[in-house]
């Protein structure tokens, strides 16, 4: 039996119609002659985007609310489940992104391998998600300052952070990459330090508190109730949201066939080290019935973050302020990612005629400038906090993004399944792929199934109060996705626009309709790829496993 280790291999050179293939030539768009996106993200950028880019308020602050709702056992189990699900998604996304490093990755893959209507729904769902997260993260960044100065109006800090983000956009994708590289290093270093410190606090090495051990798992307990357990899935999805950004960045990566597989490997260690071990430590040193956790939410004062309060309660001076600085920088980092995620998706949709045509424009510096202006305009929604009803408005804005990650991640897994079916239908082998998902199509089936289970769990939580408002606050993204899908179905059926694909009422593309060759990355642009390794027997594969795991860290 022959087993192929997931890795790199130069596939045959196919004709590529990817407009981003040449970083120097201009391309035609609906708005005239424009410059393509620039491939200015290098390996170090992709590595840090993967390992630390999405760590923000979802982990540092919202973890407290999840701990309160479900208990430390629920927190650990749900983060493990969502982390494992996301790992399968990232492997699938890595295979697709290396093969097709096109702008608007998730949107394009749903469009190409599933159905245009579903692609339209996923593209706008993802874009809306990041459009509304930006003002939320800017608000959260402003509120972190209250830890030191609660006498200053939050509008001051919203203006400051919005200005900083606007300046970053001037430098295009290189600015995004450099900012994420620096901030991710800070976040990774701080979280590593917190885990070590948390172990010391739990073992009784802190000035105050003494030995804790597993006491809080017994009293007040590891779990609250089943509804609390299910509710943690949404918090976990929000905390993990943005991990998929490295796939979106493939279109602007200098060498996706080399950097993306490495970035996908780093996701495993980020999930295990920062999310799983980090939340385990929090659950050990913070009781889930602590009163201050009632105020722990993404837009709340970080004075109630379990990462900050646990250090303060241990009698350690100075470090709580340091952790609060890290949280502030983390929130700015996620806001920066929000701008990147929405602008690239909207620009890709405009090129396909699924968004206003002027959004397709890219200037000579590789910036989708009109998309950036739209995202910055959404940032001004953060000033809603100045209104008396600001918190309620924000609740509804965030409802738009509540469960959208599950739809996007599930679509990536399903697109990978359909890609493999079409690839096989065209007589192609996985040996021809530059990168192969370690668990193959089976991992995508697992990822898709877990995404569906998480949606069911959140639906169960949403209908428990038997309150219409509570249901839509938790589950609004679902009817939005259905409405977007139905809209494009109806529009494409009745429009006379010749550029819109007419598909009737077919559920999805059959394998013979799927184009697996357009947009394939020209292998002449992929350099210094490590050779693929083949194993003749399963025994050899198992024997080589320790060394492969060590290589995956690098």
């Amino acid at each position: 039996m022959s087993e192929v280790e997931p890795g790199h291999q130069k596939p045959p050179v196919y004709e590529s119609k990817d407009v981003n293939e040449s970083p120097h030539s201009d391309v035609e768009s609906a708005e005239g002659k424009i410059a393509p996106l620039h491939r200015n993200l290098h390996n170090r950028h992709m590595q840090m985007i993967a390992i630390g880019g999405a760590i923000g308020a979802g982990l540092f602050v919202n973890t407290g609310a999840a701990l309160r709702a479900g208990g430390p056992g629920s927190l650990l189990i749900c983060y493990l489940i969502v982390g494992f699900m996301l790992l399968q998604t990232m492997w699938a996304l890595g295979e697709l992104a290396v093969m097709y490093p096109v702008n608007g990755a998730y949107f394009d893959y749903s469009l190409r391998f599933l159905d245009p209507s579903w692609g339209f729904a996923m593209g706008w769902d993802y874009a809306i998600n990041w459009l509304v997260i930006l003002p939320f993260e800017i608000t959260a960044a402003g509120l972190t300052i209250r830890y030191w100065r609660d006498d200053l109006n939050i509008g001051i800090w919203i203006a400051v952070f919005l200005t900083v983000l606007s300046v970053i956009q001037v430098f295009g994708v290189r600015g995004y990459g450099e900012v994420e590289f620096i901030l991710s290093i800070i976040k990774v270093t701080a979280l590593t330090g917190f885990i070590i410190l948390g172990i010391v606090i739990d073992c009784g090495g802190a000035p105050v508190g003494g030995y804790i051990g597993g006491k809080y798992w017994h009293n007040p307990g590891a779990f609250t109730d089943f509804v609390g357990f299910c509710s943690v899935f949404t918090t976990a999805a929000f905390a993990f949201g943005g991990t998929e950004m490295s796939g979106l960045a493939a279109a602007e990566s200098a060498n996706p066939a080399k950097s993306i597989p490495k970035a996908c490997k780093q996701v495993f260690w980020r999930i295990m080290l920062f999310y799983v071990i980090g939340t385990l430590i929090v659950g050990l040193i913070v009781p889930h019935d602590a009163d201050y956790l009632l105020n722990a939410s993404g837009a709340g004062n970080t004075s109630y973050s379990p990462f900050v309060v646990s250090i303060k309660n241990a009698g350690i001076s100075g470090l709580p302020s340091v952790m609060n600085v890290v949280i502030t920088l983390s929130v700015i980092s996620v806001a920066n990612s929000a701008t990147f995620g929405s602008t690239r998706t909207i620009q890709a949709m405009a090129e396909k005629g699924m968004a206003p045509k002027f959004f397709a424009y890219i200037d000579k510096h590789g910036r989708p400038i009109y998309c950036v202006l739209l995202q910055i305009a959404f940032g001004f929604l953060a000033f809603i906090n100045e209104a008396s009803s600001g918190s309620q408005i924000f609740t509804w804005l965030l409802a738009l993004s509540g469960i959208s990650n599950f739809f996007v991640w599930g679509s990536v897994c399903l697109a990978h399944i359909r890609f493999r079916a079409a690839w096989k239908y065209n007589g192609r082998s996985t040996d021809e792929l530059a990168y192969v998902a370690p668990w193959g199509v089976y991992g995508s089936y697992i990822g898709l199934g877990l995404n569906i289970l998480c949606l069911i769990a959140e639906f169960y939580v949403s209908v428990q109060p038997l309150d219409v408002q509570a249901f839509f606050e938790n589950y609004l993204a679902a009817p939005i996705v259905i409405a977007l899908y139905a809209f494009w179905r109806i529009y494409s059926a009745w429009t006379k626009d010749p550029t819109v694909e007419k598909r009737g009422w077919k559920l999805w593309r059959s394998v013979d309709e799927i184009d697996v060759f357009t947009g394939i990355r020209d292998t002449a642009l992929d350099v210094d790829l490590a050779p693929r390794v083949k194993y003749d027997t399963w025994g050899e594969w198992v024997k080589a496993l320790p060394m492969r795991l060590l290589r995956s860290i690098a």
Side-chain angles (χ1 to χ4, degrees):
M1 181 177 184
S2 177
E3 269 298 302
V4 182
E5 178 188 1
H8 300 293
Q9 175 177 309
K10 289 188 177 182
V13 178
Y14 303 111
E15 180 185 359
S16 174
K17 297 179 183 178
D18 179 7
V19 296
N20 297 319
E21 184 176 286
S22 173
H24 302 295
S25 63
D26 288 352
V27 298
E28 294 293 331
S29 83
E31 290 296 294
K33 199 171 185 182
I34 59 174
L37 293 171
H38 290 185
R39 293 188 179 275
N40 286 335
L41 289 179
H42 300 295
N43 187 51
R44 64 185 179 90
H45 298 128
M46 299 295 288
Q47 296 297 298
M48 295 314 298
I49 289 171
I51 199 169
I55 297 173
L59 176 64
F60 284 118
V61 186
N62 274 31
T63 296
L67 178 63
R68 176 82 184 188
S74 298
L75 191 69
L76 180 61
I77 293 172
C78 290
Y79 271 67
L80 272 170
I81 292 173
V82 175
F84 179 72
M85 173 182 71
L86 186 57
L87 182 63
Q88 300 303 325
T89 303
M90 286 301 300
W91 282 342
L93 179 61
E95 184 176 309
L96 292 172
V98 169
M99 199 66 173
Y100 309 100
V102 295
N103 190 25
Y106 330 112
F107 154 73
D108 191 87
Y109 302 147
S110 292
L111 188 70
R112 178 195 293 248
F113 302 117
L114 301 179
D115 176 76
S117 298
W118 190 251
F120 176 83
M122 286 302 96
W124 276 111
D125 176 55
Y126 193 74
I128 291 170
N129 177 40
W130 288 113
L131 284 172
V132 300
I133 281 179
L134 178 64
F136 171 79
E137 295 291 343
I138 292 175
T139 299
L143 288 171
T144 60
I145 308 300
R146 286 187 177 176
Y147 184 83
W148 301 286
R149 294 291 302 271
D150 60 1
D151 58 321
L152 295 178
N153 190 297
I154 188 177
I156 298 172
W157 304 111
I158 290 174
V160 169
F161 293 132
L162 191 56
T163 301
V164 170
L165 285 171
S166 299
V167 170
I168 293 172
Q169 304 316 308
V170 172
F171 299 96
V173 69
R174 191 59 182 267
Y176 162 73
E178 293 296 347
V179 169
E180 288 305 300
F181 178 76
I182 296 170
L183 295 184
S184 292
I185 290 176
I186 295 173
K187 288 187 282 186
V188 167
T189 303
L191 274 170
T192 304
F194 174 82
I195 290 170
I196 296 171
L197 178 61
I199 294 172
V200 172
I201 293 173
D202 189 60
C203 294
V208 178
Y211 177 78
I212 300 175
K215 179 174 68 175
Y216 296 142
W217 280 61
H218 297 283
N219 182 27
F223 301 93
T224 54
D225 53 32
F226 186 66
V227 174
F229 173 83
C230 292
S231 69
V232 179
F233 282 116
T234 300
T235 304
F238 186 80
F240 280 109
T243 302
E244 73 287 338
M245 202 69 73
S246 55
L248 191 66
E252 295 169 83
S253 170
N255 189 354
K258 185 175 183 179
S259 59
I260 291 177
K262 287 187 176 181
C264 290
K265 293 174 183 178
Q266 297 297 339
V267 169
F268 171 78
W269 299 107
R270 181 178 114 188
I271 289 170
M272 291 304 299
L273 181 61
F274 302 132
Y275 286 95
V276 175
I277 297 180
T279 53
L280 172 63
I281 295 298
V282 167
L284 286 172
I285 62 179
V286 178
H288 74 74
D289 61 351
D291 291 339
Y292 63 83
L293 292 180
L294 289 169
N295 299 308
S297 65
N301 194 318
T302 49
S303 299
Y304 306 111
S305 164
F307 287 84
V308 174
V309 179
S310 60
I311 299 174
K312 187 186 297 184
N313 290 346
I316 303 173
S317 60
L319 280 183
S321 286
V322 173
M323 182 55 68
N324 197 67
V325 170
V326 172
I327 295 175
T328 304
L329 294 176
S330 299
V331 173
I332 294 173
S333 170
V334 175
N336 186 41
S337 295
T339 304
F340 181 81
S342 65
T343 55
R344 270 53 181 182
T345 302
I346 295 173
Q347 193 276 333
M349 294 184 71
E351 283 190 338
K352 297 293 195 300
M354 292 183 171
K357 291 183 179 179
F358 66 89
F359 283 128
Y361 177 75
I362 301 173
D363 67 14
K364 64 181 180 180
H365 300 292
R367 299 171 299 197
I369 195 69
Y370 295 125
C371 299
V372 170
L373 292 175
L374 175 65
Q375 178 66 90
I376 296 300
F378 264 79
F380 282 94
L381 290 176
F383 288 103
I384 289 175
N385 289 279
E386 298 296 312
S388 57
S389 58
S391 60
Q392 186 61 36
I393 296 172
F394 252 93
T395 297
W396 285 107
L397 283 174
L398 285 177
L400 294 171
S401 64
I403 56 173
S404 64
N405 284 328
F406 293 130
F407 285 102
V408 173
W409 297 339
S411 294
V412 169
C413 292
L414 185 56
H416 179 242
I417 293 169
R418 299 300 295 163
F419 158 71
R420 281 292 192 92
W423 191 248
K424 183 178 180 181
Y425 174 83
N426 281 274
R428 302 296 177 177
S429 165
T430 54
D431 290 346
E432 298 178 82
L433 302 178
Y435 171 73
V436 179
W439 287 28
V441 71
Y442 302 107
S444 292
Y445 276 113
I446 294 172
L448 177 61
L450 289 175
N451 273 287
I452 293 172
L453 286 176
C454 287
L455 285 170
I456 293 172
E458 184 56 27
F459 180 82
Y460 173 75
V461 172
S462 301
V463 299
Q464 281 304 300
L466 296 177
D467 184 314
V468 174
Q469 179 174 329
F471 172 80
F472 282 107
E473 284 180 358
N474 291 329
Y475 223 73
L476 183 60
I480 292 294
V481 167
I482 294 171
L484 288 168
Y485 175 82
F487 168 78
W488 195 256
R489 276 285 181 186
I490 296 170
Y491 175 78
S492 60
W494 292 99
T495 184
K496 295 181 180 179
D497 187 345
T499 63
V500 175
E501 183 178 357
K502 305 287 186 180
R503 290 189 46 76
W505 297 100
K506 282 186 176 181
L507 182 61
W508 61 9
R509 298 187 190 279
S510 57
V511 289
D512 60 306
E513 292 181 299
I514 296 175
D515 175 14
V516 295
F517 298 114
T518 299
I520 288 180
R521 176 77 164 146
D522 185 349
T523 53
L525 300 175
D526 300 327
V527 295
D528 301 327
L529 300 186
R532 291 277 290 279
V533 180
K534 287 192 175 184
Y535 301 102
D536 294 327
T537 65
W538 281 103
E540 291 181 6
W541 184 88
V542 172
K543 189 181 295 184
L545 186 60
M547 186 58 66
R548 290 170 54 215
L549 289 174
L550 286 175
R551 284 203 304 269
S552 71
I553 301 176

